[in-house]
Amino acid sequence: MADYSKIQVTPYASALGAVIGGVDLASVDDDTYLEVRRALMEHQVIFFEDQHMTPEQHLAFGRRFGSLNIHDFVGGMEEHPEIVEVRKEPEDERNFGGAWHVDVIYLEEPPLGSILYAKEIPGIGGDTLFANQVAAYDALSKGMKDMLDGMTAIATPALIYGTQSTDWSKTSSMNSSPTATAEGEVEHPVVRVHPETGRKSLFLSGKFTPRFKDMTMEESAPLMDYLFAHQTKPQFCCRFKWAENAVAFWDNRCVMHYALNDYPGQRRLMHRVAVNGDRPH
Ligand code: SIN
C-alpha cells in the first residue's frame, strides 16, 4: 500500500475502488494532485464525498490530468461543451450509460478517465457499478491470455449512435438522433497495457466492440459473449451508492462501468468531464 501524506485513502471494495479524504477538489495543490493521481492508479476508481465545485473548478480539476474530451454524439452544457449532463428526467424510461461499457472506446485515443459529479440523485437507486479489467484479465487461463494478447478488436459507435443502431431511443442526455457520421471504425488491442502502471487489462466494451479484426460479427460472437460475461463477474466489481455532491473518478483504461436504471419517476443529474487519453497498445 502506497504512503500518502496529503490525502486519506480508504479501500472501498476488495475488487477495486477507494474513498479519498482530505481533498477539496475545487482547489487542488500540486502535491495533492500527485497523490490523487497515484491513488487512481492504485485503486482504478476513486470516490470523493461532499465536494463543492463550480463547473469551471470541475473542468480545472480535469485539466490537471490532461486535455478534455468533447463528446461527438452527446451535447455538452451550452457554456461548457466539455461537461456532459448525464440526466434522467422522471418521465424518461432509458438512462445514459445503462449498460456495461468503456467511455468512448471507439475513439483512436479513448479517454484516460471520467470524473462524474453528482448534482441531484434519486431517493433510492441510481448506483453505478464498476468492474476491474486488470483482475478480469488476470483471472483468465494462460492459454486464453496467450491467444487474446495477439488479437485486435474493431471499435465503432455505429451500433449505438449510428443508423445501424438497433435499440435507439432518445434519453434526456442524448439530444441528437442516430447519425450517419457514427459509422467509423478503429482498431484496438483486445488486451491493452496500461501506460502508467504497465498492467494488462481487457479492453472490450460490448456493442462498441462488436467484432474482432478480420472476422465477422457472427464469427466473433461466441468469444465476445464469453469475454463480455467474464469481464463483469461480481468478483471484479464494486457498486457505488451516490450521495449528492459525491464525485467518482474512474480510470477508463482499465475499468468498465454501468449506470443502474432502477429509479422510475425520479430525477438524476450528474456532470461528467472526460480526460483525453492515449492510443492503446
Ligand atoms: C456514464 O456512463 O458515464 C454515466 C455513469 C452514471 O451516470 O453513473
Side-chain angles (χ1 to χ4, degrees):
M1 192 71 69
D3 280 339
Y4 297 94
S5 62
K6 305 288 285 190
I7 63 176
Q8 294 95 50
V9 179
T10 309
Y12 185 74
S14 56
L16 77 167
V19 177
I20 309 298
V23 185
D24 175 5
L25 295 181
S27 84
V28 173
D29 63 42
D30 290 347
D31 290 342
T32 304
Y33 155 71
L34 289 173
E35 290 200 356
V36 168
R37 187 165 192 131
R38 192 146 54 82
L40 179 66
M41 296 311 116
E42 192 177 356
H43 296 279
Q44 300 171 255
V45 56
I46 49 179
F47 306 110
F48 303 84
E49 292 161 345
D50 198 26
Q51 296 294 321
H52 297 272
M53 293 184 283
T54 62
E56 291 78 8
Q57 288 166 333
H58 188 181
L59 293 168
F61 177 61
R63 286 198 181 101
R64 283 281 194 164
F65 293 81
S67 61
L68 302 182
N69 176 260
I70 296 184
H71 204 291
D72 284 325
F73 307 112
V74 178
M77 289 173 80
E78 203 164 310
E79 310 258 297
H80 304 290
E82 305 94 336
I83 298 182
V84 168
E85 278 198 322
V86 176
R87 183 156 54 89
K88 181 169 182 263
E89 298 295 348
E91 63 277 13
D92 287 348
E93 286 190 2
R94 283 196 62 193
N95 69 334
F96 178 80
W100 281 109
H101 65 284
V102 172
D103 282 335
V104 216
I105 193 172
Y106 49 81
L107 296 181
E108 280 196 6
E109 297 182 343
L112 168 159
S114 297
I115 305 163
L116 191 66
Y117 183 22
K119 305 300 288 182
E120 198 177 324
I121 56 161
I124 191 140
D127 299 353
T128 305
L129 308 179
F130 297 93
N132 179 341
Q133 296 307 295
V134 174
Y137 173 78
D138 285 346
L140 294 169
S141 65
K142 182 180 178 312
M144 180 65 97
K145 284 179 183 158
D146 287 348
M147 179 176 73
L148 295 178
D149 276 346
M151 291 182 72
T152 300
I154 301 299
T156 175
L159 300 185
I160 303 292
Y161 296 115
T163 52
Q164 302 169 50
S165 174
T166 47
D167 62 352
W168 178 269
S169 73
K170 184 177 177 300
T171 72
S172 289
S173 288
M174 292 157 74
N175 50 7
S176 56
S177 3
T179 165
T181 60
E183 308 297 322
E185 295 188 339
V186 301
E187 296 179 7
H188 288 317
V190 171
V191 177
R192 74 176 289 183
V193 179
H194 195 287
E196 295 180 65
T197 66
R199 291 184 289 191
K200 287 183 174 180
S201 63
L202 289 174
F203 198 57
L204 292 169
S205 182
K207 284 191 171 179
F208 284 128
T209 49
R211 64 185 179 87
F212 299 107
K213 185 181 176 189
D214 299 328
M215 288 173 71
T216 65
M217 276 175 62
E218 198 182 3
E219 289 165 341
S220 305
L223 182 55
M224 279 292 184
D225 290 350
Y226 169 79
L227 290 171
F228 196 44
H230 174 79
Q231 283 178 286
T232 56
K233 282 182 178 159
Q235 61 267 37
F236 309 136
C237 296
C238 73
R239 174 174 181 149
F240 185 62
K241 183 167 172 44
W242 292 94
E244 224 153 76
N245 299 317
V247 171
F249 186 174
W250 57 90
D251 188 332
N252 194 53
R253 301 167 292 190
C254 56
V255 172
M256 296 182 85
H257 60 286
Y258 185 137
L260 283 168
N261 184 11
D262 58 352
Y263 49 99
Q266 299 184 76
R267 189 170 199 259
R268 182 177 183 271
L269 173 66
M270 324 288 274
H271 284 181
R272 191 182 87 179
V273 165
V275 180
N276 287 321
D278 59 358
R279 180 141 206 168
H281 64 271

